[in-house]
Amino acid sequence: AVQRLNQVKPGDRVTVRYYQALAAQAVRAGAPGSQPFAGVAIQREAARPGGEITRVRAGRVTITEVDRLGEQVDMVYEEALAISIEPMR
């Protein structure tokens, strides 16, 4: 969440960055693995306006089509949004 939004003035430069990542690892069917999870982290403790939020989801999927029928894959998907504001010069 953006903090100190009331400090933003006309002419300030707002930069928004969006990141996405996907990691996958093939595992043997039935192999033990980590539990599925989803989480959100909100960070920003700076003197200037701005904010950061990150969302992560993880779980195991089983392939049911294509050429690898029955193979399992552990996956982690992450997305992040960062907003920074620079005062007008």
Side-chain angles (χ1 to χ4, degrees):
V2 176
Q3 295 181 358
R4 298 177 184 79
L5 192 56
N6 62 331
Q7 296 176 2
V8 177
K9 306 283 188 265
D12 288 352
R13 179 177 291 224
V14 177
T15 303
V16 178
R17 290 185 176 92
Y18 177 75
Y19 303 93
Q20 262 184 322
L22 177 65
Q25 178 179 356
V27 295
R28 294 177 190 253
S34 60
Q35 295 295 318
F37 70 89
V40 174
I42 300 172
Q43 303 173 9
R44 186 63 174 186
E45 295 299 328
R48 295 188 309 215
E52 300 172 14
I53 186 167
T54 302
R55 181 171 54 182
V56 179
R57 296 178 186 181
R60 180 171 287 176
V61 298
T62 301
I63 298 172
T64 60
E65 297 286 332
V66 193
D67 62 345
R68 311 286 277 187
L69 187 62
E71 186 171 321
Q72 293 185 330
V73 179
D74 285 341
M75 303 186 78
V76 177
Y77 172 74
E78 181 174 356
E79 58 185 343
L81 179 70
I83 299 171
S84 62
I85 299 162
E86 296 295 325
M88 182 175 71
R89 296 180 188 181

